[in-house]
Amino acid sequence: MATPPDVLPAPSSPPAPVPTRRSTATPTTAPDVSAATARIVPRRRTGQWISAAVALLLFAMAVNSLIHNRAFQWDVVAQWFTATSVLNGLTLTLWLTAVTLGLGFVLGTVLATMRLSANPVLRTLSWIYIWIFRSTPALVQLLLFFNIGALYPTLGLGIPFGPEFVTVRTVNLFGPTFTAVVGLTLLEAAYAAEVVRGGILSVDRGQLEAAAALGLGRWRVLRRIVVPQAMRSIVPTAGNMLISALKGTSIISVLAVSDLLYSVQLVYLQSYQVIPMLMVATLWYVVITTVLSVGQFYVERHFAKGATREGLPPTPLHRARAAYRRLRATAEAPAPGETATAGATTAGSTTTGSTTTGTTTGKAAR
């Protein structure tokens, strides 16, 4: 007889798979062994090695020509390198560089403030000054100031369109050295104004608004917020200006000012040793420029504090110390035999420590 569907036996479900425990000690296959023992081969950079070899070859050729070319007369260079006349000219060059750049940045700061002023008259006058002094060559400016007596025989101070209280003859006032100071200062001020203005504009406007919201005074905002951040943009360009001003003082030799270049010119005009005396001036310029570049590096590092999250880059002194530590660690490293003995001793110590730990655990269990 037929069985009703509601009493039919339910179909048996397939048996569930029994989970198998994977062995922890899985045998290592051949591909795994080869992958573990494979050596990483660095990429071959043939082009870099070739370019480096060519550059070193050219550098060696240049050094060889400097050493073995008798036209340089290095014995004459060594004789005149520390001569009294040369050192006096170097002193005047350094003094003139410091005075003109210092006064130029003072006047340039005033001009930059005028350029950023809301007064249209001050902005226009500052722009005209910068435009004129950046458009004319420095030598032309020096010659105009040196011959200013042809334009203004006398200079006076008094009431406009009225009597003059103080009068001086320009021939007695504008000597060679004073002309060099005035001309180079006015020229450096035009460039310094743009450097200072660019540094001030590099500060985020939101920080000034936040400082104003906190109720900070204008002088404190300028001293604690604007200047430290603006110096990050000012210092690199100012360092470049300092080096350019040092080398630019050589043009005052046309005014018969006894700077470094004019001092060596006086010597080779008498001895006809042009090349060695020019090398004396060149070496002194290289030495002073190198010292100024090192100082610029550390000044930039000082004002770069907090600029990046990675911190300040290491200085050459820090890198030298790190290299010395690595060399010392390599020299003090144990020999291969000593390494094996130390490894065995360490393994024994570990085993002893495990036994002691197990004993202590058993005592605790009791």
Side-chain angles (χ1 to χ4, degrees):
M1 57 185 286
T3 306
D6 55 340
V7 298
L8 289 176
S12 59
S13 58
V18 178
T20 59
R21 180 176 296 178
R22 182 174 298 176
S23 176
T24 56
T26 306
T28 305
T29 58
D32 296 333
V33 173
S34 62
T37 59
R39 185 173 61 90
I40 299 177
V41 179
R43 180 182 177 183
R44 296 180 179 179
R45 303 183 182 273
T46 309
Q48 292 185 2
W49 286 103
I50 294 176
S51 60
V54 172
L56 288 176
L57 178 62
L58 295 176
F59 178 74
M61 293 172 61
V63 173
N64 181 64
S65 66
L66 290 175
I67 295 175
H68 295 91
N69 192 344
R70 297 182 179 180
F72 286 105
Q73 301 181 28
W74 294 112
D75 54 340
V76 179
V77 173
Q79 177 184 355
W80 284 97
F81 190 73
T82 56
T84 304
S85 59
V86 174
L87 294 180
N88 291 337
L90 177 63
T91 304
L92 181 59
T93 297
L94 296 176
W95 174 84
L96 195 61
T97 302
V99 170
T100 55
L101 197 67
L103 296 178
F105 260 94
V106 172
L107 182 57
T109 304
V110 176
L111 293 172
T113 306
M114 294 171 61
R115 284 292 304 272
L116 298 175
S117 174
N119 191 329
V121 177
L122 297 180
R123 290 202 310 268
T124 304
L125 293 177
S126 176
W127 181 85
I128 291 175
Y129 176 93
I130 296 172
W131 169 61
I132 291 176
F133 279 90
R134 292 200 307 174
S135 301
T136 55
L139 183 58
V140 175
Q141 296 177 21
L142 288 177
L143 293 177
L144 283 175
F145 282 112
F146 190 69
N147 297 281
I148 197 173
L151 296 174
Y152 302 99
T154 59
L155 294 177
L157 180 63
I159 300 175
F161 307 102
E164 295 181 351
F165 304 111
V166 180
T167 303
V168 62
R169 292 178 57 85
T170 53
V171 177
N172 301 328
L173 179 61
F174 280 82
T177 304
F178 185 75
T179 301
V181 171
V182 172
L184 293 179
T185 297
L186 296 179
L187 177 64
E188 295 296 334
Y191 291 100
E194 292 298 292
V195 172
V196 174
R197 185 176 68 91
I200 294 175
L201 292 177
S202 65
V203 181
D204 189 11
R205 187 69 182 177
Q207 300 192 26
L208 302 180
E209 296 175 355
L214 293 174
L216 300 179
R218 298 184 60 180
W219 172 249
R220 188 174 183 183
V221 171
L222 180 66
R223 182 171 55 91
R224 301 299 298 271
I225 297 177
V226 176
V227 172
Q229 298 185 61
M231 290 299 289
R232 298 173 186 170
S233 301
I234 292 175
V235 169
T237 313
N240 190 31
M241 283 184 58
L242 176 60
I243 295 175
S244 299
L246 173 69
K247 298 182 296 183
T249 55
S250 60
I251 65 174
I252 67 174
S253 59
V254 298
L255 304 180
V257 180
S258 300
D259 68 323
L260 178 60
L261 181 59
Y262 189 75
S263 299
V264 299
Q265 284 178 343
L266 291 179
V267 175
Y268 72 66
L269 287 177
Q270 298 176 1
S271 61
Y272 300 101
Q273 296 172 336
V274 180
I275 298 299
M277 296 309 302
L278 290 179
M279 290 305 300
V280 169
T282 301
L283 291 177
W284 270 120
Y285 281 120
V286 169
V287 170
I288 301 302
T289 302
T290 303
V291 173
L292 294 178
S293 301
V294 173
Q296 176 187 348
F297 170 78
Y298 283 99
V299 172
E300 289 183 14
R301 179 182 173 85
H302 172 74
F303 285 103
K305 294 178 179 179
T308 58
R309 296 183 178 180
E310 292 79 9
L312 299 176
T315 63
L317 182 60
H318 293 163
R319 294 177 180 177
R321 290 177 178 176
Y324 172 73
R325 294 192 189 98
R326 288 194 297 268
L327 291 175
R328 187 175 180 180
T330 305
E332 295 179 353
E338 298 178 358
T339 305
T341 305
T345 306
T346 305
S349 302
T350 305
T351 306
T352 306
S354 302
T355 306
T356 306
T357 304
T359 306
T360 306
T361 305
K363 292 181 180 179
R366 294 192 191 95

